Structure formats: C-alpha cells, structure tokens
Amino acid sequence: MSVTPRPVAIRQIGAIARRDALVQLSYQLNLLLYLGTAVFGAFIAYFVAELVGDSELLEPYRGTYFDFVIVGLAITSYASLAVAAFNEQIRQEQSIGTLEVLLAGPARLSTLLSGGFVVPLILTTLEVALLLGIGIGVFGAGIGFSNLLLAVPVVVLTVLNFCALGIASAALIMLAKRGDPISGPLYQATLLLSGAIFPIEVFPGWLQAVSKATPGYYGVRGARDALLTDGGFAAIRSDLVVLALFAAVMLPVAVWIFARALSAAKRLGVLASY
C-alpha cells in the first residue's frame, strides 16, 4: 500500500472529522445529554465523598476522597474513549456498508482511524473539562490549574495504551460482527484495577499485583501525582516511563492484529457485510 503524503493525510483526517462533527451537531439533544453525564458524575462523586469521608490512604493526595476519585474518573473517561472509539467506528462503517468503500479509496487505514478519533476525543475532553471544572468551581476540588499541563503527557500516553486495546478489539469486531461486547467489561475492569475509585491498597496482595501489571494503574497514579501533589515532573517520571514501555509493545502488536484481521476479512469476503 502506498504511503499517503502527510498534507493529504491531514486533509483527509480533517474531512472525516468534519463529517463526524456535522453528524454530532445534527443530534443536539444527544450531545447535551452526553455532556450532562459529566455534571451528574461530579455531583455523584461529591456526595459519595461526603459519605466516605477521608482516609489515611488518601494522605498523599491531600487527604480528600473527592479529589482522589474525580481525577480517577477523568482519566478513565479517556481510557473508555480510546477503547470504544475504534470499535464504534468500524461497527458504524460496516453497518451502513461504507467500510469496504473507504478502504478501497486512496486514504490509508491509519488515516481513516485517526480521522474518526478526532471528534470523540474532543467530546471526551469537553466532558473531562466539565467534570473537573464543576469539581473545582462548585465543590472546591484541590486541583491546581498550574498542574494541568503536567498531566498532559500522562493523558497522552494513557490514551495511546488504550488505543492499542481498542484497535485490537476492533479487529475482533470486524470479523465477529456482534456489536461491541468488549468496551463495557474492559472499562469496568479498568475502573477496578486502575484504582480510579479507591486505592488499590485495599485489595488483597495478588490483586494489587494484577493492578500494577496494567497501564491504567500508571495512568491514574501519574495523573493524581501531577494534579494533586507538588512533586512536579519528578513525581510522574516513573509512571511516564512505564506507560511509554507499555505503548511501545502494545501499539505494534495491536496494529499487527488489526492488519491480520483485515486481511482475513478481505479473504473471506466479509468486510462489507454486517
């Protein structure tokens, strides 16, 4: 397959993103309800925090459960996006019969996937901004705006890792054609194992070991170290290294799996069916 020149690829990504944006804007109520989940999430987190109270396990993060959980929810929102976006894109293109047409065009598969990721990424960023904005502005979360930039590399690497999981699961969906049975359970597992909702120190030892073998744990911990402590870059350096290592292994493997699944779908003649 020929390599698409970069300016052309950027225009193609922009065209796909504009198409998706127009579709989203045509369903304004759905868009408002989607963003409304962040508002409900912030209120639920606050009142649960009032019930739970503070704990010694939360002392490294200024001692408040609300601050602890709201950062965890923000990062797992990005994880959920990265897992589900490619699945939804493949499923949608197959269901309307355009996947084979798109792949037969001049755009590379990576360009098509990247273009379809733009609008969901923007929507998730708006959702997270609402979640953190309400947390800080309404409930007084102790998240410093000056630390937001420090969290960016943690978010980027976390998204890359979960994109790898999303690409691999999209390969399965392209062949199985049975909706999306993966994103929901994987998101729930991430909520549990990443420590997004509660410190993993409450787990038994074996489950703590499992947690530390997943990228979500380092993404959530790194974001909390960036946003809720004064450790600066030194506090997140080890998390960035681990996340980068995970991504260096997982992304090539996921792309290889997807390429093999795509070849199999073409060979079996099921690429255009749903």
Side-chain angles (χ1 to χ4, degrees):
M1 184 178 294
S2 60
V3 178
T4 305
R6 183 170 299 177
V8 175
I10 292 174
R11 288 198 296 271
Q12 291 170 341
I13 290 172
I16 295 170
R18 284 193 297 273
R19 179 203 66 179
D20 292 347
L22 290 173
V23 171
Q24 286 289 345
L25 291 173
S26 67
Y27 297 95
Q28 296 179 6
L29 178 59
N30 185 58
L31 180 60
L32 288 174
L33 291 174
Y34 173 82
L35 295 177
T37 59
V39 178
F40 289 115
F43 276 83
I44 291 171
Y46 176 76
F47 290 114
V48 170
E50 289 291 292
L51 175 65
V52 171
D54 300 336
S55 167
E56 291 182 0
L57 295 174
L58 304 179
E59 284 302 323
Y61 306 109
R62 297 175 183 163
T64 67
Y65 179 72
F66 179 65
D67 293 357
F68 178 88
V69 75
I70 202 169
V71 174
L73 291 175
I75 297 302
T76 52
S77 293
Y78 279 112
S80 176
L81 155 76
V83 170
F86 299 110
N87 296 346
E88 177 62 24
Q89 186 181 2
I90 294 297
R91 188 195 63 78
Q92 179 177 321
E93 299 294 353
Q94 280 188 321
S95 66
I96 61 179
T98 57
L99 181 61
E100 190 172 32
V101 175
L102 287 172
L103 292 176
R108 301 180 68 196
L109 178 61
S110 59
T111 301
L112 297 174
L113 293 176
S114 299
F117 193 69
V118 172
V119 170
L121 178 61
I122 291 172
L123 289 176
T124 300
T125 300
L126 289 174
E127 179 188 0
V128 169
L130 269 175
L131 180 67
L132 295 181
I134 292 172
I136 296 170
V138 177
F139 299 119
I143 299 171
F145 283 105
S146 60
N147 293 344
L148 289 176
L149 286 179
L150 189 61
V152 170
V154 177
V155 172
V156 170
L157 286 172
T158 302
V159 168
L160 287 176
N161 277 283
F162 281 91
C163 277
L165 295 174
I167 291 170
S169 61
L172 175 62
I173 287 170
M174 183 166 55
L175 293 173
K177 306 177 189 301
R178 288 294 184 271
D180 182 5
I182 298 172
S183 298
L186 189 53
Y187 175 64
Q188 297 298 325
T190 299
L191 278 178
L192 173 68
L193 297 175
S194 68
I197 306 299
F198 33 72
I200 69 165
E201 285 77 12
V202 302
F203 293 166
W206 66 269
L207 191 53
Q208 291 187 38
V210 173
S211 295
K212 292 177 181 179
T214 64
Y217 168 74
Y218 298 96
V220 170
R221 188 180 72 172
R224 287 191 179 120
D225 286 339
L227 296 172
L228 300 177
T229 72
D230 298 319
F233 182 78
I236 65 171
R237 184 186 296 115
S238 63
D239 295 308
L240 293 177
V241 170
V242 175
L243 287 169
L245 291 173
F246 267 116
V249 173
M250 293 171 61
L251 277 171
V253 171
V255 171
W256 180 84
I257 291 172
F258 194 92
R260 299 287 76 76
L262 180 59
S263 297
K266 290 179 177 178
R267 185 173 63 255
L268 296 171
V270 298
L271 188 61
S273 63
Y274 181 72

